[in-house]
Amino acid sequence: MGTVAREINTVGVVGLGTMGAGIVEVFARNGLDVVAVEISEGALERGRANLSGSTDRAVAKGKLSAQDRDALHARVDFQVGLAALHSVDFVIEAVPEHLDLKQAIFAELDKVCPPHAILATNTSSLSVTEISVATHRPHQVIGVHFFNPAPVMKLVEIIRTVVTAPEVVADVEALCARLGKTDVTISDRAGFIANALLFGYLNHAVTMFENHYATREDIDVAMKQGCGLPMGPLALMDLIGLDTAYEILDTMYRRGGRDRRHAPAPLLKQMVTAGLLGRKTGRGFYTYTKQGSPVVVADELTPATGAHEAAARPIGTVGIVGSGTMATGIIEVFAKAGYEVLSVTRGAEKSAKVCESVKVSLNKAVVRGKLTEAERDAAIGRITWSTNLDHLADVDMVVEAVVEELTVKKALFASLDEICKPGTVLATTTSSLPVVECAMATHRPADVVGLHFFNPAQVMPLIEVVATIRTSAATLATADAVVSSLGKTAVDCADRAGFIVNALLFPYLNDAVKMLEASYATADDIDAAMKLGCGYPMGPFELLDVVGLDVSLAIQRELYLELREPGFSPAPLLEHLVTAGYLGRKTGRGFRDHTHR
């Protein structure tokens, strides 16, 4: 307590690949003298080129003046061999993720660096403790995990081992503050915070693609538009490098209790063996214009455009059953898109309430300049209000958005089967129940499809189109065409618990709860790690409180029941909070207290 941090003036960086050169830039930008070390003259030149390329781009974008760039370069001393680090205060290595290589470097640094020097590793998955024992000063060894690209990403994970001295932790925290970074200090555990949560999700996405559950494009679009993530999981794998991802997963699997979800997907190993490593080789899950390019080009897996249109049935009138938030949003979406809409609710009171909600929402759109008054009036004019299911006899499509209870939905589909004309598309908006159960409650399972809208339906651009093994090609084509006509993006997937988005999102949220439960990190640190380290719009605990802990628990239970994967079992802490009535923002308390905010 009360430790005063030492001033660190000269730093060393070992390994000048993308990551190492980025770390050099971060130090030099912030006024520190840097000794940048590589193994050979050729590697040193590549490192110099990495740094020049990055700083030249910053100048071109107006992020750095030419004068500041030149001053930055003047602070960097490029050298071959570790002997050049004889007088640094702090050294960090950023060499490939191989324990024996890192241990050999640390053993050498121990001999070369002055006795007071702090020795740091930028490892993202290896044991800092195992690296530290290669030295005679394990108390001065620490993990300092920067995120790629280091000059841009705000987060640094500081990893202390059981023997790291408190003053070393304080010195490194002060250094990170000087660099303008946000740090989270944690203990030495496989994957730390960000990678432990990120890579289980990425591996799950690879398995989804490997099993032909959905196309790579649909998986990536689903996570970007459904969760607001900056990149889809497969595109992110290509950016990270499939070999790097494989090493991280393999290390986490071996170090982290052999959780099957961290066992690298077989496809990942095959792609690495075949040299398909992502952007750096020009080919990974996607194909790129050339090595190192971010520009995707079409290949044999690129879906053909307009494959479905020919088989789509014409849809003019749409019935929407339900009176909740989702039903209200869906009524508005269809009416604005030009469809004749028939809203069916149970009772005149509910019908009046839904009508009022739709009008309030449309009026807001006019105030914001999203709709003209004429467009609002036309949309309202297309909606007919009813309390009688029999009025659905002549519609071309029915979308149900009633309560998420299978018995209720099955009873409704049995009624629709009797009422609706032949060829009517019957859609369920369920987010977690099996669509096939609804389909088999009818005598026309070929006409039943899932249309999973995201909340709020008026705003969210994504709809998951869910085909059961009985859904006909014409029904699927019709559903895709309708989604397109709504101005939304359709992603097609098979009928499996969670579809794409929830199946990838909720296990990640559940893992975050388990991490908190194990007292590994605080909710604030975990949220900061995912927002600043991975670019997520919200941290997992912020998101859980918004979604509702009861909703999250129900979805996680569905996933666990269907997949029987031990790692998917709901976190006990989540169950306890739900039992206690702490459901998130809607009750004023979840993982955080919202009553005084």
Side-chain angles (χ1 to χ4, degrees), residues 298-558:
D299 58 22
E300 69 278 6
L301 294 180
T302 305
T305 51
H308 283 329
E309 268 99 349
R313 299 176 204 156
I315 302 288
T317 54
V318 179
I320 294 161
V321 184
S323 56
T325 309
M326 271 330 281
T328 306
I330 293 167
I331 290 166
E332 182 183 331
V333 168
F334 274 97
K336 282 195 299 199
Y339 288 94
E340 293 296 324
V341 177
L342 176 63
S343 161
V344 181
T345 56
R346 288 203 326 222
E349 195 179 322
K350 283 189 172 169
S351 191
K353 196 173 163 193
V354 174
C355 177
E356 185 58 30
S357 296
V358 171
K359 286 178 178 172
V360 166
S361 180
L362 288 168
N363 283 332
K364 278 185 187 165
V366 172
V367 171
R368 288 181 190 144
K370 301 278 178 73
L371 275 185
T372 65
E373 290 188 6
E375 286 167 338
R376 172 199 63 195
D377 295 344
I380 291 168
R382 291 188 199 104
I383 308 168
T384 306
W385 307 96
S386 170
T387 57
N388 188 345
L389 282 176
D390 290 337
H391 291 164
L392 296 167
D394 289 323
V395 299
D396 302 318
M397 181 178 204
V398 178
V399 179
E400 73 74 16
V402 301
V403 66
E404 279 284 272
E405 285 179 24
L406 194 53
T407 50
V408 177
K409 290 192 190 282
K410 284 170 75 170
L412 174 59
F413 271 81
S415 299
L416 294 174
D417 187 32
E418 290 178 16
I419 294 164
C420 296
K421 67 186 181 188
T424 300
V425 173
L426 305 179
T428 170
T429 60
T430 183
S431 60
S432 58
L433 299 171
V435 177
V436 74
E437 294 268 10
C438 296
M440 297 314 291
T442 74
H443 294 94
R444 50 170 107 182
D447 293 332
V448 178
V449 69
L451 282 182
H452 178 215
F453 287 76
F454 288 76
N455 195 18
Q458 303 95 313
V459 176
M460 296 296 277
L462 186 74
I463 298 177
E464 290 176 316
V465 180
V466 187
T468 76
I469 53 175
R470 297 289 297 269
T471 305
S472 72
T475 301
L476 182 60
T478 306
D480 282 340
V482 166
V483 171
S484 179
S485 73
L486 297 175
K488 306 280 190 190
T489 302
V491 293
D492 293 349
C493 60
D495 183 22
R496 206 176 75 183
F499 312 135
I500 298 173
V501 174
N502 286 352
L504 291 176
L505 175 66
F506 282 88
Y508 146 75
L509 296 175
N510 196 49
D511 284 346
V513 180
K514 288 179 178 176
M515 187 178 274
L516 176 67
E517 197 168 35
S519 303
Y520 179 64
T522 64
D524 288 347
D525 278 354
I526 295 169
D527 277 356
M530 297 316 290
K531 288 195 291 186
L532 300 176
C534 301
Y536 281 28
M538 297 176 88
F541 297 105
E542 287 176 300
L543 184 54
L544 282 159
D545 276 2
V546 168
V547 170
L549 273 58
D550 51 342
V551 174
S552 304
L553 178 59
I555 292 171
Q556 192 60 35
R557 278 179 176 153
E558 288 288 338

Side-chain angles (χ1 to χ4, degrees), residues 28-254:
R29 266 190 189 222
N30 289 282
L32 288 140
D33 292 321
V34 186
V35 181
V37 173
E38 258 296 358
I39 197 166
S40 66
E41 286 292 346
L44 200 65
E45 279 312 306
R46 287 192 293 277
R48 204 189 297 265
N50 281 337
L51 180 63
S52 297
S54 177
T55 52
D56 289 349
R57 281 193 299 276
V59 171
K61 288 177 182 169
K63 301 276 177 74
L64 195 65
S65 70
Q67 192 178 352
D68 286 344
R69 174 195 59 197
D70 297 342
L72 185 161
H73 282 277
R75 290 189 197 102
V76 184
D77 178 16
F78 288 94
Q79 295 285 344
V80 172
L82 297 175
L85 300 166
H86 55 81
S87 59
V88 298
D89 302 318
F90 171 95
V91 61
I92 182 168
E93 63 74 21
V95 303
E97 289 282 273
H98 300 296
L99 183 61
D100 52 354
L101 172 62
K102 290 186 190 277
Q103 285 178 325
I105 286 171
F106 271 74
E108 193 62 29
L109 291 173
D110 190 30
K111 295 174 192 166
V112 168
C113 296
H116 73 274
I118 294 169
L119 310 183
T121 171
N122 183 55
T123 183
S124 57
S125 61
L126 296 171
S127 165
V128 178
T129 309
E130 286 185 48
I131 294 169
S132 75
V133 295
T135 74
H136 293 92
R137 53 173 115 177
H139 61 289
Q140 283 170 241
V141 175
I142 194 165
V144 182
H145 179 216
F146 287 83
F147 287 74
N148 192 20
V152 176
M153 300 300 276
K154 283 284 183 200
L155 183 75
V156 176
E157 288 178 319
I158 298 173
I159 301 96
R160 56 166 187 260
T161 73
V162 288
V163 295
T164 305
E167 58 270 24
V168 168
V169 176
D171 292 347
V172 173
E173 286 174 340
L175 177 62
C176 286
R178 187 174 162 189
L179 299 175
K181 300 293 187 187
T182 301
D183 66 80
V184 293
T185 301
I186 44 182
S187 56
D188 188 17
R189 190 180 110 167
F192 316 134
I193 297 175
N195 282 354
L197 295 178
L198 177 68
F199 276 85
Y201 149 72
L202 294 178
N203 200 37
H204 189 182
V206 176
T207 303
M208 221 177 232
F209 173 64
E210 184 174 26
N211 293 342
H212 304 288
Y213 177 66
T215 65
R216 60 191 180 179
E217 288 85 358
D218 280 356
I219 292 169
D220 279 356
V221 166
M223 296 314 288
K224 282 167 67 180
Q225 295 197 0
C227 300
L229 302 186
M231 290 182 87
L234 302 177
L236 180 55
M237 284 285 238
D238 277 358
L239 174 63
I240 292 166
L242 272 59
D243 50 344
T244 304
Y246 180 85
E247 290 290 340
I248 291 172
L249 281 164
D250 191 49
T251 303
M252 281 170 49
Y253 176 69
R254 286 185 282 106

